[in-house]
Amino acid sequence: MILCLSIGLLALTPLAYLLVRTIGETGGGTKTSSFLFSLRTLEHAGTSLGLAAVVTTASTLIALFLALCTGASDLPFRRTCTVLVVCPLAIPCYVGAAVYIGTFSPGGLLGGASEILGVRYGWFSGFWASAFVLTLFTYPLAYLPIRAGLSRSDRTLLEAARSLGHSRTRAWVHGMLPQIRTSMVAGSLMVALYTLSEFGAVSMLRCNTFTRVIYLEYESAFDRTGAALSSLALVALIGLILLLGEWMRGRNTSGQTGRPARPCRWRLGRWRWLGVPGVGVVTLLSVGIPLTSIFRWWGRSHSTDPVLDAILPALVTTMVLAVVAAVVVVILALPTSMLASRYPSKLSRMIERITHIGFGLPGIVIGLALVFVVLRFLPAVYQTWGIVIAGYVILFLAQATGPLRAGFDRAPRPLEDAARTLGARWPRRLRRITIPLLVPGMSSAFLLVFISTTKELPNTLLLAPAGSHTLSTRIWQYTEEAMYAESALPALILIALSAMMVAGLVWREGMVEKTA
Amino acid sequence: MIELTDIKRSFGGHDVLKGVSFQIPAGQLAVLFGPSGCGKTTLLRIIAGLEHADSGTIAICGRKITGPGIRVKPEERKIGLVFQDLALFPHLTVTKNIEFGMARATNKADRTREMLELTHLESLRDRFPHELSGGEQQRVAVARALAPGPDLLLLDEPFANLDATLRCTVRRELVELLDRVGTTSIMVTHDRSEALSAAQTLLVMSRGRLLQSGSPRDLYERPSDLRVATLLGDGNLLDCEIRGGIATCCLGTVDAADRSDGQAKLFVRTEHITLEQDEEGEGTVLGSAYFGHDSMTDVGLPGGKVIQVRESQERTSNPGSTVKARICGPCTILD
């Protein structure tokens, strides 16, 4: 219990220190308030919120359209479409941004388009470019919950509304929408939070949201107090969005009656073929163009040895780092998950929530907070891999808790009691019962953290020892230096790794089967 | 043979067991019966060693396993336990589940085959628990608990997870099996028909106390108090007056040889009253609920008293008719 609490609290230390230090340094007074109300800050807040609003709205609309098409209609090729529309999950946003920058640059797949349109190179940047890229690669975050909500929804309510004399549209608004409202809000919330935390894509596309500003202030100006204040402002924004989500979710209106639901299915009639181009356009923009572009750049580069020389060490570093981080995270998450599964109480729920805080925080903020803590208390570990892993632990602890908890749920106390009454002492119980049942949960927790670590950018960028690289920082560096051909290989490797996780995810949700 | 003496247990100031004592002769199937929350599952877990007792002693075949300063670990007690939710190991096959408790046994293979045969599971030996029906899972749980040859077998609501149609068959099979194996067993249940039909010794518990023990028929026909009487079945509580060894109530007289004179209560089971169509009778049939195999008839008596009578289906009285009610079976005088 105490162990769990200390793990949870340890994860919170950097953020707490960030707060304390900032207030201490600025005296909590004039500098803070002048910062908060300066025009610059308001501008960054406006950009962050604006981007979040645009991306969330667009993503939710796309997700809703796709979910209705693939989940509640007689669209042709529904199974294929379902798989296609979650594919963008495999492409990290910053990889997507890098790819699109490369696509529109001279020699890129659509480089010619810029010439024809008569716009200068580099036009693909800023707010709207960021919104475009983020929408393309985050809509699956909204799609998955809405799709799940639809398959839990019940046609009976719709039929009841119609039998009470409502028109088709009104029946839909009153009988159907409330049923998927909860999952829509949850999906939009995830997109909004992701957009606010996103660092790589907005930075590459030079859109001045808080995450980019924090990095710029830290890196170029060495204005650490400014960076800390921006971080706190960003955390406050995230808190605000979470509150908004809580408020929007409101009462539980899912109206579960306990009976197995009969999901809705619309007959689209002659419109049914219209859904296919819709899915097609989205897939073309989010998967087709990026993949084609990457392969095209790769085709031009893969004969050059220097690229391999640079990528191979980065690949090895990434793999080693990810394995170590995943092992550490799983070990640290074990006690908390066990507590949550075996001894459910107010305290254990609270501890579980604490570990979730890191998950909600942007990587750049955690990285910055860690820099502060380390420079103040443990300067020796500054710029070592240890501190990078500490960052991963804080970021991904919550990801491991879920599957591990499910693992412990599979090996509940009564099973151990049963083994005891059958004469098994604890080593045998552990070896024959608990561990075998825990293995699936542990391996999926490991895989989840492993993949997340390989994709992670801001934390790595901020904390990694100078001169060393992972795949993600290589992509970052090559894109900054307009070396698009060189970034193709690391991007491909990352996408392949993520695709593994998406495949696992789709398989676990049993979505393909459910569609059948 | 198992002997419990004055077992007490409280959780957070609430006395769950207030001193329970009983003994069960070797080879018998005893049923611990009581309403939900009366402490019977706690008692079972204490016997198994999964819970500790605040005071009291437990001895099996003369070996003390719980007592002052003694607390033998569950894994060393040689007591088998069939859990309410069965707790089969989901990642092990039927055979592996059954073998689990025989880690050091020399004749493991023979013993396993024997258990599989006894429980008719031979054809399912390589299945996993989730591939079995509820009744089959239940048999695996019993086989697993019996395989190490325990001195005592405990069964915690073993039929709770079966549907009603299956229960009866599974119960009969289990009673037969336990009889054949000859292991001393204690089964916990809150289902009265289960308790009455399965038990050789019936122990009735309520609110942490053992109320009465004995053969099911004894307890049903001669309950020691009103609680035992009503827990085991429906009945009517009538005022009566005892004079000279004869008790007189509104339904007539019954023998009360060993009772002193005075006012008392008479408990008569609903099926131990007969109704006869009789114009002169004092009872009026108020209504009747039909259950198929029998029906429950409400009869109004002079003075506003209403009694319930269980009638066989061919002789159900019509509402409104006048009847004469008579006691036709054993009844109990309670103080």
Side-chain angles (χ1 to χ4, degrees):
Chain A
M1 184 70 93
I2 292 163
L3 182 73
C4 297
L5 199 61
S6 46
I7 290 174
L9 289 181
L10 216 61
L12 269 189
T13 332
L15 188 71
Y17 181 68
L18 190 69
L19 191 72
V20 170
R21 198 195 114 129
T22 313
I23 291 173
E25 202 153 284
T26 57
T30 46
K31 195 169 176 194
T32 309
S33 55
S34 68
F35 164 83
L36 275 178
F37 297 107
S38 76
L39 209 59
R40 245 166 60 87
T41 311
L42 286 179
E43 199 185 305
H44 299 151
T47 312
S48 295
L49 277 179
L51 190 66
V54 170
V55 172
T56 307
T57 312
S59 292
T60 310
L61 287 179
I62 293 177
L64 186 63
F65 167 75
L66 292 176
L68 287 175
C69 281
T70 58
S73 76
D74 54 355
L75 184 83
F77 312 118
R78 269 190 315 126
R79 289 174 67 169
T80 320
C81 288
T82 306
V83 175
L84 276 179
V85 298
V86 294
C87 279
L89 265 189
I91 305 177
C93 272
Y94 66 90
V95 174
V99 168
Y100 261 103
I101 293 172
T103 306
F104 286 117
S105 67
L109 181 65
L110 297 176
S114 309
E115 274 167 45
I116 294 164
L117 289 171
V119 284
R120 61 187 166 76
Y121 286 117
W123 64 272
F124 191 77
S125 73
F127 184 89
W128 291 107
S130 304
F132 173 76
V133 166
L134 284 174
T135 303
L136 275 186
F137 299 105
T138 57
Y139 81 81
L141 293 177
Y143 170 82
L144 286 174
I146 295 178
R147 179 76 165 67
L150 265 180
S151 65
R152 278 195 309 268
S153 69
D154 195 344
R155 182 164 62 188
T156 330
L157 284 179
L158 198 67
E159 287 164 351
R162 295 216 63 186
S163 76
L164 291 168
H166 287 277
S167 71
R168 242 177 115 121
T169 328
R170 272 180 60 96
W172 201 84
V173 171
H174 293 287
M176 197 57 217
L177 218 48
Q179 292 193 62
I180 52 170
R181 199 183 75 177
T182 319
S183 47
M184 261 174 75
V185 171
S188 318
L189 198 64
M190 271 173 79
V191 173
L193 291 175
Y194 189 93
T195 308
L196 280 179
S197 305
E198 216 289 328
F199 163 76
V202 290
S203 295
M204 289 173 179
L205 292 166
R206 310 195 191 294
C207 173
N208 278 328
T209 61
F210 270 128
T211 47
R212 175 163 197 247
V213 169
I214 292 167
Y215 183 70
L216 289 181
E217 281 172 338
Y218 169 79
E219 194 76 346
S220 32
F222 268 85
D223 176 10
R224 296 225 161 129
T225 311
L229 278 169
S230 296
S231 297
L232 288 178
L234 177 56
V235 171
L237 268 191
I238 287 173
L240 210 69
I241 298 285
L242 279 174
L243 280 179
L244 189 73
E246 202 65 38
W247 174 73
M248 270 171 70
R249 195 170 333 198
R251 292 176 295 120
N252 180 19
T253 50
S254 58
Q256 290 293 334
T257 44
R259 237 163 16 86
R262 294 184 308 141
C264 296
R265 188 129 303 172
W266 278 282
R267 305 230 163 274
L268 295 177
R270 56 202 154 98
W271 299 100
R272 63 199 288 254
W273 292 98
L274 265 183
V276 179
V279 174
V281 168
V282 174
T283 311
L284 180 75
L285 287 176
S286 59
V287 185
I289 292 185
L291 281 186
T292 320
S293 177
I294 293 181
F295 277 113
R296 201 160 158 271
W297 281 117
W298 187 38
R300 293 191 194 167
S301 75
H302 75 129
S303 51
T304 51
D305 287 335
V307 174
L308 272 184
D309 287 346
I311 297 306
L312 210 58
L315 178 64
V316 172
T317 311
T318 305
M319 291 293 140
V320 173
L321 209 55
V323 168
V324 174
V327 168
V328 173
V329 167
V330 168
I331 289 173
L332 286 180
L334 268 176
T336 323
S337 325
M338 183 171 156
L339 196 71
S341 169
R342 292 248 171 121
Y343 308 95
S345 70
K346 268 200 181 128
L347 187 65
S348 68
R349 262 197 302 280
M350 202 185 76
I351 293 174
E352 212 190 355
R353 290 248 173 90
I354 289 178
T355 64
H356 277 76
I357 292 179
F359 189 59
L361 288 178
I364 187 94
V365 172
I366 302 233
L368 190 72
L370 272 173
V371 168
F372 282 160
V373 171
V374 161
L375 283 183
R376 172 77 178 76
F377 299 106
L378 279 169
V381 298
Y382 181 60
Q383 292 235 324
T384 60
W385 290 116
I387 195 68
V388 182
I389 287 172
Y392 292 146
V393 168
I394 298 175
L395 275 170
F396 302 133
L397 201 57
Q399 281 194 6
T401 322
L404 279 180
R405 204 191 143 153
F408 275 109
D409 286 346
R410 281 193 59 203
R413 202 52 181 277
L415 283 189
E416 277 194 41
D417 283 348
R420 289 194 88 174
T421 61
L422 291 166
R425 281 162 230 279
W426 72 263
R428 185 151 181 268
R429 293 202 294 272
L430 205 62
R431 187 165 48 82
R432 290 286 312 274
I433 306 298
T434 313
I435 290 179
L437 286 172
L438 209 55
V439 160
M442 270 169 81
S443 52
S444 57
F446 177 88
L447 200 71
L448 221 58
V449 177
F450 178 84
I451 303 278
S452 297
T453 307
T454 56
K455 295 196 303 185
E456 210 282 335
L457 174 66
N459 183 62
T460 322
L461 202 61
L462 226 56
L463 299 175
S468 49
H469 275 289
T470 64
L471 288 177
S472 60
T473 60
R474 274 285 182 221
I475 296 176
W476 164 267
Q477 179 209 2
Y478 289 146
T479 308
E480 290 288 278
E481 293 166 14
M483 299 159 73
Y484 307 117
E486 285 79 355
S487 71
L489 185 58
L492 266 182
I493 298 175
L494 273 189
I495 291 174
L497 280 172
S498 308
M500 271 166 42
M501 183 168 87
V502 176
L505 200 87
V506 171
W507 173 73
R508 210 177 48 189
E509 304 273 317
M511 258 175 55
V512 179
E513 283 83 352
K514 239 183 251 167
T515 325
Chain B
M1 153 108 175
I2 171 165
E3 189 171 1
L4 269 76
T5 323
D6 201 28
I7 293 291
K8 286 184 182 149
R9 178 77 169 112
S10 62
F11 289 113
H14 174 67
D15 293 332
V16 178
L17 296 173
K18 301 166 185 166
V20 176
S21 312
F22 61 77
Q23 44 178 296
I24 295 157
Q28 274 214 354
L29 167 58
V31 172
L32 200 54
F33 167 73
S36 311
C38 71
K40 52 195 192 309
T41 294
T42 307
L43 187 62
L44 212 62
R45 289 177 64 84
I46 287 175
I47 298 174
L50 297 171
E51 208 89 62
H52 72 89
D54 294 335
S55 66
T57 59
I58 303 175
I60 295 187
C61 313
R63 176 166 65 103
K64 203 177 259 188
I65 51 172
T66 293
I70 305 168
R71 198 183 158 200
V72 178
K73 285 183 189 160
E75 51 265 43
E76 283 152 17
R77 290 198 170 198
K78 294 192 75 184
I79 294 181
L81 175 54
V82 176
F83 288 77
Q84 184 168 354
D85 49 9
L86 305 182
L88 295 178
F89 304 127
H91 59 304
L92 299 180
T93 60
V94 168
T95 312
K96 294 276 174 205
N97 260 287
I98 294 175
E99 278 176 355
F100 189 88
M102 303 185 290
R104 282 176 295 274
T106 43
N107 55 346
K108 192 153 86 175
D110 293 340
R111 182 76 182 151
T112 306
R113 197 171 323 118
E114 190 187 332
M115 291 320 300
L116 285 169
E117 266 168 40
L118 264 175
T119 46
H120 310 295
L121 288 166
E122 298 103 318
S123 57
L124 307 172
R125 58 194 313 158
D126 295 322
R127 298 256 189 107
F128 284 93
H130 68 267
E131 299 170 321
L132 302 176
S133 73
E136 289 160 355
Q137 289 182 357
Q138 208 262 352
R139 294 200 317 257
V140 177
V142 173
R144 182 181 71 177
L146 282 176
D151 294 336
L152 174 72
L153 179 69
L154 305 172
L155 304 112
D156 187 5
E157 304 260 6
F159 313 112
N161 292 321
L162 299 179
D163 53 61
T165 46
L166 218 69
R167 270 182 182 215
C168 229
T169 348
V170 174
R171 180 169 70 218
R172 202 168 320 125
E173 281 173 3
L174 180 72
V175 172
E176 266 173 41
L177 173 72
L178 293 178
D179 196 43
R180 202 150 5 125
V181 178
T183 309
T184 318
S185 315
I186 303 178
M187 178 172 116
V188 152
T189 180
H190 68 266
D191 182 304
R192 67 166 72 127
S193 61
E194 219 162 273
L196 287 166
S197 64
Q200 285 174 296
T201 305
L202 182 59
L203 307 147
V204 179
M205 268 185 82
S206 177
R207 292 182 201 155
R209 278 185 217 286
L210 183 66
L211 298 180
Q212 196 183 356
S213 61
S215 77
R217 182 176 282 271
D218 260 6
L219 263 59
Y220 186 76
E221 293 179 353
R222 271 172 290 280
S224 62
D225 68 7
L226 187 60
R227 258 206 313 220
V228 176
T230 49
L231 279 174
L232 287 176
D234 304 321
N236 299 287
L237 195 61
L238 307 169
D239 291 319
C240 71
E241 192 170 356
I242 303 170
R243 212 160 290 278
I246 303 283
T248 312
C249 72
C250 53
L251 301 182
T253 57
V254 291
D255 182 45
D258 51 348
R259 291 281 174 160
S260 52
D261 291 0
Q263 297 288 323
K265 296 276 186 190
L266 189 66
F267 186 83
V268 194
R269 296 264 173 227
T270 52
E271 67 275 20
H272 292 153
I273 301 175
T274 52
L275 300 177
E276 276 165 29
Q277 300 290 332
D278 188 347
E279 292 302 317
E280 312 282 279
E282 290 175 319
T284 315
V285 176
L286 301 175
S288 178
Y290 179 69
F291 294 111
H293 44 78
D294 56 19
S295 52
M296 192 67 91
T297 307
D298 286 344
V299 179
L301 296 175
K305 176 80 185 167
V306 176
I307 58 168
Q308 290 193 307
V309 181
R310 194 188 297 278
E311 291 186 286
S312 61
Q313 53 159 332
E314 63 268 21
R315 29 181 311 171
T316 303
S317 310
N318 295 319
S321 57
T322 313
V323 292
K324 185 173 170 56
R326 252 179 341 103
I327 295 173
C328 66
C331 53
T332 314
I333 295 167
L334 306 166
D335 301 311

